[in-house]
Amino acid sequence: MERQQQSVLHVGPNSDALDALLTQRNYQLEVTDNLRACKKLIRKKKPGLIIFNVEDKDSEALTEQVLEYVRIGCQDKDLIFIVAHPPARMPDALSWIENYDISSFISLSPDKTEFNLSVIERNLKAWQRLEQINAQHKAESDLLMSVAHLHRNNNDINEVMLTFMRSLANIACATTHCRIKINNQNEGALSHVWPEQPTLEQVLSGVFALPALPAYLARSLTEKKPQIDLLPNDDAFQPLNQLLGTKLSSYLIFPIVVYDKVLEMMVFFIDEQAMESVSMRQIDVVSKAAEQLTILLERKESERRLKKQCTRLKEALLELKETQNQLAHSEKMATVGQFAAGIAHEINNPLSSVLSNFGSMDNYLDSILNLQNLHDQFLSAVEGGNQHVGAKLKSQITDYRGQSDIDFIYDDIREIVAQSQMGLSRVSDIIKDLQSFTVVQNQHHCQLDIPAILNQSLSLLESHNKYDIVVEINLTHTCQPVSNSGFVQQILTNLLKNAFQAVEQSQPESPYVAVCTQEADGKLLITVKDNGSGIPQDIQDKVFDPFFTTKEVGQGSGLGLSVSYNLSKRLGGSLSLASTPNAHTVFVLALPIN
């Protein structure tokens, strides 16, 4: 949950002593003595510190209600609480600390003003430190996600690198950062300077004295790995310190290495205070990100070269692609493990908000139902001609609307519903992204339920069967081989999808797709047949090649059958093709029964 800087919420009755205390600092202060208003402020303003003024039973009850709402209703363990009280009234401190994790209790005594201020400042600094840690954890997740995006999508590499650099800057708490492009002569050119200040690029150019690289940058060209160290004692950094209004003490250099050549460097400068926030954990994340980014960038370059040389390196390309498929899956699983905690945190936040909103909706529903009951009684009195009772009920309705603040409830319900929809949509998007990232969902072997797997595949492909092609199913097998159901479903889905597309393209008089099974020679044979236009004889030996496709540009990647062929091999089986041009096409998936 993101909170506003220096945001403080004062809950409880007005107190001259507490007001005098809080006005001595420049806080973003919100004040309320109403539970509903307090809930709305917590949802909207997201304060980092709540100070309760407890001076009587009513304020004590209000404090406990707010504490239960935050700690139990919202499941918020980060928000910091301070309880202020008159010297003559001390709340049940031990119970509140145990149940609600109260950070501090302060007595509003005139002689304790300085002490109380120090307590508030200490708790605000603790909250700011917690926010910084949360921001760093989010930056770590963003860093790994940016690498994953480069792997998953054909995104613009420059945009991905900028996202990667911003995430890395957040992890390192960098005051300023930039990129330095390296040419073949190992000379540098400055680009993408942040923050965007009119003279910053000019000052940085003077600091680096480009195009020649200073010694601390040249070291990264040799070692080809991230470097974090103290800045050299050099007067060249004084203009930069003056411009930024800080004292820079350290630097992080992140070289972008492809095939043992440094293409560019990301340079981050860190001031003295921020350096205390950089731990070995962050350094370890940076090192792992460097390894993954190097692997992915090298793969991008390898794919570009392989496509140019595919004619004379066909055999080598096939072998390399099979290795790449295995490496891609291993990397996906490793990356999922690294940012699983961040994803769980992102799912938990909107879900906690929705659960909290349900609690408010329940209270609002009680108020609306009570008002509805009064209206029903009023209508009965009017219909019965009882003017005296009707007038009394009308007065009660008016009083109840004011007491329960019905207009506020109507407005807040709309806001709660909108927030809940937004939160659940976020959860849905996260799950869809994760499913698309982990292509192979089931790694466990189990007894195959072929009818269930086939039904799941056909259900997934309903949108691809646009012309209601008849699917003939004839399952005659009696065995239940043990295999990876996720792999088998992926293979069948690819084969059925290709069959639907082939039939739709050729549009025969009686279109059909047939799926049948049989047992032969210790194997389960699953056959998918269509009466499309068939596959020409001269390209039948190419259909399992990576990137080979007969579809128009943008309609197919050429990987479906290649992936299916490799998966069948991993299952200890095979995938074969038999096709008669202008007649039919048959694919047979053979799986070992034992």
Side-chain angles (χ1 to χ4, degrees):
M1 182 183 291
E2 297 180 359
R3 310 188 193 282
Q4 296 180 357
Q5 186 177 12
Q6 297 286 325
S7 180
V8 178
L9 177 59
H10 169 199
V11 178
N14 290 328
S15 167
D16 294 339
L18 184 57
D19 290 344
L21 192 66
L22 295 176
T23 53
Q24 295 189 37
R25 295 291 188 270
N26 186 26
Y27 303 133
Q28 292 182 6
L29 187 63
E30 300 287 344
V31 182
T32 182
D33 59 357
N34 178 274
L35 178 60
R36 285 178 179 164
C38 182
K39 290 180 179 181
K40 192 168 185 178
L41 284 171
I42 290 173
R43 288 199 303 267
K44 280 194 170 183
K45 299 295 183 179
K46 299 180 176 61
L49 175 64
I50 297 182
I51 300 178
F52 298 100
N53 180 29
V54 179
E55 58 183 37
D56 51 33
K57 290 185 178 180
D58 290 340
S59 57
E60 187 170 328
L62 174 63
T63 298
E64 289 188 339
Q65 290 175 330
V66 175
L67 290 172
E68 288 186 0
Y69 169 73
V70 174
R71 290 292 193 242
I72 300 174
C74 296
Q75 291 293 306
D76 189 336
K77 306 301 181 185
D78 296 339
L79 217 164
I80 297 176
F81 300 129
I82 295 178
V83 175
H85 60 88
R89 181 182 179 85
M90 177 64 183
D92 187 0
L94 291 178
S95 174
W96 282 10
I97 291 174
E98 180 180 354
N99 294 330
Y100 305 115
D101 191 20
I102 305 296
S103 177
S104 303
F105 287 80
I106 58 175
S107 174
L108 298 177
S109 177
D111 59 343
K112 293 187 176 180
T113 300
E114 290 301 323
F115 172 77
N116 291 341
L117 278 174
S118 68
V119 170
I120 295 174
E121 289 293 327
R122 184 179 72 247
N123 281 282
L124 274 174
K125 288 181 179 178
W127 162 67
Q128 290 168 352
R129 174 59 180 156
L130 179 63
E131 289 294 284
Q132 188 178 55
I133 291 173
N134 289 338
Q136 285 180 319
H137 289 173
K138 183 179 183 302
E140 292 171 13
S141 177
D142 291 343
L143 187 73
L144 296 173
M145 286 293 287
S146 65
V147 177
H149 279 302
L150 179 62
H151 170 72
R152 290 165 51 191
N153 307 317
N154 292 322
N155 292 341
D156 179 64
I157 291 182
N158 189 53
E159 287 297 322
V160 174
M161 297 299 287
L162 287 175
T163 302
F164 183 89
M165 182 169 69
R166 287 192 291 268
S167 301
L168 194 55
N170 290 332
I171 291 178
C173 302
T175 304
T176 182
H177 58 266
C178 62
R179 294 167 68 178
I180 298 179
K181 305 285 186 180
I182 307 298
N183 62 20
N184 292 331
Q185 290 74 41
N186 289 335
E187 295 177 338
L190 192 63
S191 68
H192 298 95
V193 175
W194 186 92
E196 297 178 357
Q197 294 186 11
T199 59
L200 180 57
E201 184 170 350
Q202 180 180 354
V203 172
L204 280 174
S205 297
V207 169
F208 295 131
L210 300 175
L213 299 177
Y216 61 94
L217 291 180
R219 189 176 68 169
S220 290
L221 284 179
T222 305
E223 299 189 7
K224 298 181 177 62
K225 62 182 181 180
Q227 307 281 341
I228 185 166
D229 206 343
L230 297 176
L231 284 173
N233 294 323
D234 195 336
D235 293 338
F237 292 98
Q238 291 304 320
L240 184 59
N241 288 333
Q242 293 174 1
L243 177 63
L244 298 174
T246 186
K247 181 171 177 56
L248 302 175
S249 64
S250 309
Y251 65 85
L252 167 64
I253 300 175
F254 192 99
I256 306 300
V257 184
V258 176
Y259 288 119
D260 209 37
K261 176 176 174 58
V262 178
L263 301 182
E264 67 172 82
M265 297 178 183
M266 297 180 181
V267 183
F268 307 86
F269 290 114
I270 311 166
D271 66 25
E272 290 180 330
Q273 294 181 347
M275 192 60 197
E276 298 175 359
S277 303
V278 181
S279 65
M280 290 303 298
R281 182 175 183 273
Q282 274 85 46
I283 295 173
D284 185 51
V285 169
V286 170
S287 299
K288 290 180 179 178
E291 294 172 3
Q292 291 191 23
L293 187 62
T294 297
I295 291 172
L296 293 174
L297 288 174
E298 288 179 354
R299 179 183 299 150
K300 292 286 185 182
E301 179 65 15
S302 174
E303 289 175 356
R304 184 185 68 83
R305 294 178 182 179
L306 286 170
K307 286 180 181 179
K308 286 184 177 181
Q309 301 171 2
C310 66
T311 303
R312 61 186 180 88
L313 296 178
K314 178 180 178 181
E315 226 173 282
L317 176 62
L318 289 173
E319 183 180 352
L320 176 61
K321 189 57 189 176
E322 186 170 357
T323 303
Q324 283 181 326
N325 286 337
Q326 297 174 0
L327 180 59
H329 178 59
S330 300
E331 287 179 353
K332 285 180 182 180
M333 294 304 102
T335 305
V336 166
Q338 289 172 348
F339 60 73
I343 289 177
H345 181 70
E346 286 202 37
I347 290 177
N348 185 59
N349 277 349
L351 284 182
S352 296
S353 176
V354 171
L355 290 174
S356 170
N357 288 341
F358 282 156
S360 299
M361 288 286 284
D362 186 58
N363 293 333
Y364 291 166
L365 184 59
D366 289 340
S367 298
I368 293 173
L369 290 176
N370 290 337
L371 182 62
Q372 181 66 40
N373 184 41
L374 289 174
H375 275 289
D376 292 341
Q377 295 179 32
F378 174 75
L379 290 175
S380 297
V382 171
E383 290 173 357
N386 195 333
Q387 300 295 330
H388 176 70
V389 175
K392 184 177 179 181
L393 287 170
K394 183 176 181 181
S395 176
Q396 290 179 1
I397 290 172
T398 303
D399 293 339
Y400 187 81
R401 288 183 65 93
Q403 292 172 4
S404 58
D405 201 357
I406 289 296
D407 293 334
F408 168 83
I409 288 175
Y410 291 156
D411 292 337
D412 204 36
I413 284 176
R414 292 188 179 92
E415 183 176 336
I416 285 175
V417 170
Q419 288 182 351
S420 300
Q421 288 176 333
M422 186 182 304
L424 293 176
S425 296
R426 174 59 180 152
V427 172
S428 176
D429 291 341
I430 292 171
I431 292 173
K432 288 178 181 177
D433 287 344
L434 190 58
Q435 287 176 332
S436 67
F437 184 74
T438 56
V439 175
V440 181
Q441 300 174 3
N442 184 4
Q443 294 290 346
H444 302 290
H445 283 64
C446 59
Q447 286 190 331
L448 294 181
D449 186 349
I450 299 299
I453 293 174
L454 182 59
N455 288 335
Q456 290 173 357
S457 297
L458 291 173
S459 177
L460 288 172
L461 293 170
E462 281 185 3
S463 61
H464 291 271
N465 189 2
K466 300 176 183 177
Y467 297 99
D468 295 326
I469 301 168
V470 176
V471 180
E472 301 174 0
I473 300 177
N474 182 22
L475 307 181
T476 62
H477 71 285
T478 58
C479 65
Q480 278 192 313
V482 175
S483 190
N484 188 307
S485 61
F487 286 171
V488 174
Q489 182 177 358
Q490 187 172 352
I491 295 171
L492 286 179
T493 302
N494 285 338
L495 296 180
L496 288 168
K497 180 181 178 181
N498 284 349
F500 286 145
Q501 291 174 342
V503 173
E504 290 172 5
Q505 185 176 6
S506 61
Q507 296 183 355
E509 185 175 343
S510 300
Y512 74 89
V513 172
V515 181
C516 63
T517 61
Q518 62 180 0
E519 299 173 32
D521 300 328
K523 292 184 178 181
L524 171 64
L525 305 181
I526 305 174
T527 302
V528 178
K529 180 180 180 180
D530 68 75
N531 64 340
S533 58
I535 300 174
Q537 189 69 35
D538 59 336
I539 64 171
Q540 288 186 16
D541 59 344
K542 300 179 181 179
V543 295
F544 297 122
D545 290 355
F547 305 111
F548 178 81
T549 180
T550 59
K551 300 172 185 174
E552 297 180 2
V553 176
Q555 293 186 0
S557 63
L559 291 175
L561 289 176
S562 174
V563 169
S564 299
Y565 181 82
N566 287 331
L567 290 180
S568 70
K569 293 294 185 184
R570 291 176 63 178
L571 295 174
S574 63
L575 182 62
S576 58
L577 161 70
S579 180
T580 302
N582 301 317
H584 62 262
T585 298
V586 179
F587 283 94
V588 180
L589 172 62
L591 298 175
I593 294 176
N594 298 320

